[in-house]
Amino acid sequence: MQHEQVLRRPLVTEKATKTIEAQNAYAFEVDPNADKPAIKAAVEAIYNVRVLRVTTQNRKGEMRRNRYGHFRQGVMKRAIVTVHPEESIELF
């Protein structure tokens, strides 16, 4: 899997922004088949930073209901990537 296929998009939420400021950790939505070494290699190659740690979360989608029945929405895999304290990633 190529580096561009591993990382789908950076997650910029209020909680993710606080984590960037406090711990120098960035959140990304990643491919569900990507493992931690692949995520680390992709972030290091694309953003040219040193990655200290990668943690992942498999987020289950919420059950939603409409007039036709129930369906599951928004299944995704997130990665929290901790970067070396001397470096940062420009997301904006």
Side-chain angles (χ1 to χ4, degrees):
M1 190 177 308
Q2 296 179 355
H3 298 307
E4 293 81 16
Q5 295 174 340
V6 173
L7 299 179
R8 290 192 175 165
R9 64 185 175 107
L11 297 175
V12 182
T13 61
E14 189 174 346
K15 186 174 182 179
T17 306
K18 289 180 182 178
T19 307
I20 291 170
E21 295 169 356
Q23 302 172 0
N24 204 23
Y26 298 85
F28 295 96
E29 181 180 349
V30 296
D31 186 80
N33 298 324
D35 55 353
K36 291 181 183 184
I39 296 168
K40 179 179 178 179
V43 172
E44 287 178 344
I46 293 172
Y47 293 105
N48 197 19
V49 293
R50 292 178 285 177
V51 174
L52 298 179
R53 182 175 61 187
V54 176
T55 58
T56 58
Q57 303 170 350
N58 287 313
R59 306 286 302 254
K60 292 183 180 178
E62 296 179 344
M63 289 299 292
R64 292 293 177 109
R65 197 184 93 151
N66 62 9
R67 60 194 249 184
Y68 302 111
H70 292 77
F71 63 96
R72 185 171 298 276
Q73 172 185 345
V75 177
M76 74 170 169
K77 185 173 186 176
R78 297 174 75 175
I80 311 298
V81 179
T82 305
V83 179
H84 194 272
E86 298 173 356
E87 299 173 351
S88 66
I89 296 175
E90 290 295 325
L91 296 178
F92 313 113

